[in-house]
Amino acid sequence: MTATTLPAAPSGVDIKARPAVARRAPRGENRAGWLFATPFLALYIAFLIGPVLIGLVISLFNTTTVKAGVGDWVGLSNYADVLSNGDFWASMWHSVLFTLLTTPLLVLLPLMFAIFASRISRNQWFFRLAFFAPYVVPSAAVCLIFAFMYTPETGLITNAFSWVGLSAPNFFGTTSGAWFAVVLLTVWWTFGFNFILYTAAIQEISEEVYEAALIDGASPWQQIRMITIPLLRPTMGLVLILQVLSSLKVFDQIYILLAGGPAYSTRPVIQYIFDTGFSAYRGGYAAAATMVYFVVLVVISAGWFLARRRSPANA
Amino acid sequence: MATIVDAPAGAKSPSRRRSGPEQAGKAFNRLAATCVTLFALIWLVPFLWALITSLRPNEEIAAHPTTPWSNNWNFDAYKFAWNSSPLGWWYVNSFIISTLTVIFTVVVCSMAAFALAHLQFRGKYVVFGLILAGLMVPIEALVLPQFLEFRALNLLGTYWAIIFPSIALPVAVFVFHSFIKAIPVALIEAARLDGAGWWRIYYQIAMPLSRPAISAVAILTFITSWNAFLWPLLVLTQTKSQTIPVGLSSLIGGAAIQYAETMASAVLGILPLLAVFLVLQRQIAQGVANTGIK
């Protein structure tokens, strides 16, 4: 892309393409390389690696978050407490349940609508606006608007149920109603991100493939099933993993809209860590919960990363 | 990217004789268009509903909650919302934090990418592997140890506590790396022979040539930083020092009858980024596509 806009290299000097790896670095270049990389590395080690190591250390002490210092060494007992705690596993399950509820909707619906939208040649800006605009809205604003629409009796969504002859669930009082509320909100809020990823991938597919299929008499449905979807498979894989990872990290919507309620029945892991670490001040215990959760997330992304490197289809 | 032929659908199709599939295709396209347009209109409802509600008087909302019309449109709720909460401060805080984060992220990550793409230095591949591993670190899960770290550094309650952890962004390095790598080595060799130092090559050659990467990273970092919730919630505890999302979240579950005021606050919270989005629609979509696909 950028290469085409470059000015021509000045001639007269014999510049051969050099083998980048084989050459030994001159001392000046070695120093320059480190100087360029140092600001990043310093911040990276301090604020990305740092918290991982601190979490690991703190999880072995009975640290409290109210006063400075790490407290006393307790070995692995924090981990034993976390792994045998029902509330921790309940919150883990809530994050997983949220992922199971949102991922299929947020992988398949945007795919369907991106394909539909791609069959229209005009007004693409309108779909981009309608679907992607919610993504730039802060979670708190989304929750304010949806909380208002979920208001019992007077809310717009509550009333929309009765317009089609259904009775609305109690969005704040029952667990199933609360899940419905938070899933609908999440689909509205983040739909656009996946929609844009799919749209970009669809635009990469050559028009000639479709023309050839049309000559062969393929119906639109056959075109979608035999051309578009198979060619989008790598993108679907990417959307899937990004969605699973971001759904497992859910916090904002559930905390702001429901505070994890009713009666902690929707509280996700991050809120559990937040509650035990910052409301109950059990720093060491919350750090152990953090590390367990951290390992789960890293294993999932590392697993996907390795699987993708090994499979030849996506290389 | 190779060959996108922008033919209007079905207009100059090579096969005139086979009208069967083409007819079916047109019908299908019309159906798809109706479906997706309907869906897009539904998507706009929450925005419109918040806007409409914020412009109606509260008594009217209480009496006719689902009527999208008013006999008395007014801006009173906005005046009230602006005066009753420190929205102005929240704007200022969000703006300063997001802007500084963007500047530092772009400079620091592009410098690292430049070193990885065009400089030979000992340990380069270790650095590369380290950054690659960083892609997998879920920083949002680490707020507790992060909090303890910043407390030990005595930075809680400052802008820096929000800015520092967001700068070293592995994804940004890879976006920059793929652009800077595309700059021909010959160009850089030539600049070297002309006596240019590495710093000059970085900011006079590499940076101007990776403008699309700069805009993608800048826009996405700005959105992420502006909308960040959990970490600012933990770090900025003074009402006046909060950011827009944290401040707005404190309004939820407030006075239940002040519908218009609450919606006015929500609209005010949405406005700045929505304005940015409307101006930069195309670039934002391109940026998401660039970083997502890698």
Side-chain angles (χ1 to χ4, degrees):
Chain A
M1 236 180 295
T2 32
T4 50
T5 59
L6 287 175
S11 53
V13 190
D14 182 31
I15 325 155
K16 290 204 186 80
R18 59 174 186 189
V21 189
R23 201 168 51 96
R24 249 191 79 111
R27 267 184 59 188
E29 197 175 329
N30 189 36
R31 212 184 55 197
W34 278 105
L35 283 177
F36 271 98
T38 298
F40 182 91
L41 285 175
L43 290 164
Y44 178 88
I45 290 166
F47 301 118
L48 209 72
I49 309 286
V52 179
L53 299 178
I54 291 170
L56 204 60
V57 170
I58 295 290
S59 70
L60 303 172
F61 289 84
N62 65 353
T63 312
T64 68
T65 24
V66 269
K67 53 176 193 243
V70 290
D72 300 321
W73 170 269
V74 293
L76 292 174
S77 77
N78 280 326
Y79 286 95
D81 289 351
V82 167
L83 294 175
S84 61
N85 188 306
D87 287 347
F88 172 73
W89 289 112
S91 68
M92 277 293 241
W93 165 241
H94 298 149
S95 292
V96 171
L97 180 64
F98 176 81
T99 308
L100 292 174
L101 291 171
T102 50
T103 303
L105 290 172
L106 283 169
V107 171
L108 296 176
L109 273 184
L111 172 67
M112 187 169 104
F113 284 99
I115 291 175
F116 284 179
S118 74
R119 302 194 74 88
I120 307 165
S121 44
R122 270 179 287 166
N123 297 332
Q124 288 292 327
W125 67 270
F126 173 68
F127 302 122
R128 203 162 49 206
L129 171 74
F131 291 137
F132 195 70
Y135 186 75
V136 303
V137 176
S139 52
V142 177
C143 290
L144 281 177
I145 296 173
F146 273 75
F148 175 60
M149 295 198 300
Y150 287 139
T151 312
E153 286 165 38
T154 56
L156 186 67
I157 295 176
T158 317
N159 278 285
F161 270 87
S162 61
W163 294 339
V164 291
L166 298 167
S167 64
N170 184 340
F171 293 116
F172 300 106
T174 63
T175 306
S176 58
W179 279 123
F180 181 91
V182 88
V183 168
L184 181 66
L185 178 155
T186 306
V187 169
W188 181 80
W189 185 33
T190 59
F191 181 94
F193 188 82
N194 296 348
F195 179 83
I196 295 285
L197 287 183
Y198 282 129
T199 305
I202 289 173
Q203 279 166 0
E204 303 268 306
I205 300 173
S206 158
E207 192 77 19
E208 287 158 32
V209 187
Y210 290 108
E211 281 175 14
L214 198 64
I215 293 171
D216 288 341
S219 72
W221 177 240
Q222 280 171 320
Q223 288 175 27
I224 289 172
R225 210 163 45 107
M226 313 296 238
I227 301 171
T228 317
I229 292 186
L231 286 175
L232 285 183
R233 203 142 285 163
T235 312
M236 287 172 74
L238 177 79
V239 169
L240 178 70
I241 186 69
L242 291 179
Q243 189 58 55
V244 166
L245 288 175
S246 78
S247 282
L248 282 175
K249 286 186 271 191
V250 65
F251 172 76
D252 295 15
Q253 311 91 296
I254 298 184
Y255 178 77
I256 302 173
L257 191 71
L258 306 163
Y264 295 128
S265 62
T266 59
R267 177 168 67 167
V269 196
I270 294 192
Q271 197 191 333
Y272 180 76
I273 293 167
F274 179 90
D275 287 346
T276 49
F278 296 100
S279 304
Y281 307 118
R282 300 172 61 194
Y285 176 84
T290 297
M291 293 324 289
V292 174
Y293 175 52
F294 175 81
V295 167
V296 170
L297 290 175
V298 169
V299 164
I300 293 173
S301 44
W304 182 77
F305 188 75
L306 292 176
R308 195 184 62 158
R309 290 197 91 184
R310 210 164 292 160
S311 90
N314 302 333
Chain B
M1 220 167 292
T3 46
I4 301 165
V5 185
D6 250 332
K12 46 172 186 183
S13 168
S15 67
R16 280 269 158 260
R17 288 170 295 122
R18 295 169 199 268
S19 60
E22 214 169 297
Q23 282 299 319
K26 271 195 184 143
F28 181 86
N29 287 353
R30 210 162 294 148
L31 190 73
T34 318
C35 206
V36 72
T37 308
L38 209 69
F39 214 67
L41 290 173
I42 293 173
W43 237 239
L44 290 174
V45 167
F47 284 124
L48 296 176
W49 196 244
L51 190 65
I52 289 170
T53 307
S54 70
L55 297 170
R56 297 172 71 198
N58 275 325
E59 310 80 64
E60 209 178 278
I61 301 167
H64 308 283
T66 53
T67 318
W69 188 251
S70 172
N71 298 316
N72 184 16
W73 298 110
N74 66 77
F75 282 101
D76 293 354
Y78 286 89
K79 224 178 294 163
F80 184 87
W82 185 265
N83 291 330
S84 64
S85 57
L87 258 168
W89 281 110
W90 298 344
Y91 274 137
V92 171
N93 295 328
S94 279
F95 187 77
I96 293 175
I97 290 172
S98 306
T99 309
L100 287 176
T101 306
V102 165
I103 294 171
F104 283 118
T105 306
V106 166
V107 172
V108 168
C109 294
S110 63
M111 277 170 63
F114 177 72
L116 291 175
H118 285 294
L119 286 157
Q120 297 302 319
F121 58 96
R122 251 167 277 131
K124 176 170 158 173
Y125 293 96
V126 178
V127 173
F128 210 96
L130 202 64
I131 299 177
L132 197 65
L135 283 176
M136 291 180 225
V137 176
I139 191 71
E140 303 90 329
L142 295 168
V143 283
L144 183 103
Q146 236 184 339
F147 182 88
L148 298 174
E149 183 179 2
F150 277 91
R151 192 177 60 184
L153 293 172
N154 229 344
L155 285 172
L156 290 182
T158 65
Y159 290 154
W160 297 112
I162 315 279
I163 297 168
F164 279 150
S166 335
I167 299 174
L169 192 67
V171 184
V173 176
F174 285 103
V175 172
F176 278 119
H177 184 258
S178 67
F179 270 83
I180 296 175
K181 192 86 187 164
I183 299 170
V185 174
L187 186 71
I188 287 164
E189 295 272 284
R192 290 291 292 165
L193 289 174
D194 285 347
W198 287 110
W199 178 252
R200 261 192 79 188
I201 295 175
Y202 161 75
Y203 84 96
Q204 287 194 335
I205 298 176
M207 279 299 94
L209 287 175
S210 23
R211 228 170 257 154
I214 295 177
S215 80
V217 169
I219 289 168
L220 289 179
T221 307
F222 194 88
I223 295 176
T224 317
S225 164
W226 185 279
N227 287 344
F229 177 70
L230 175 56
W231 183 236
L233 172 75
L234 286 170
V235 170
L236 305 174
T237 41
Q238 302 284 319
T239 318
K240 268 194 183 172
S241 69
Q242 283 168 345
T243 58
I244 295 257
V246 179
L248 280 184
S249 77
S250 66
L251 300 182
I252 214 157
I257 41 158
Q258 295 179 333
Y259 306 113
E261 286 77 14
T262 315
M263 287 306 105
S265 314
V267 171
L268 288 173
I270 292 172
L271 227 46
L273 265 200
L274 198 65
V276 172
F277 172 72
L278 290 176
V279 176
L280 298 174
Q281 255 207 72
R282 197 176 286 271
Q283 288 88 332
I284 292 176
Q286 196 57 50
V288 170
N290 278 346
T291 41
I293 289 166
K294 284 183 224 144

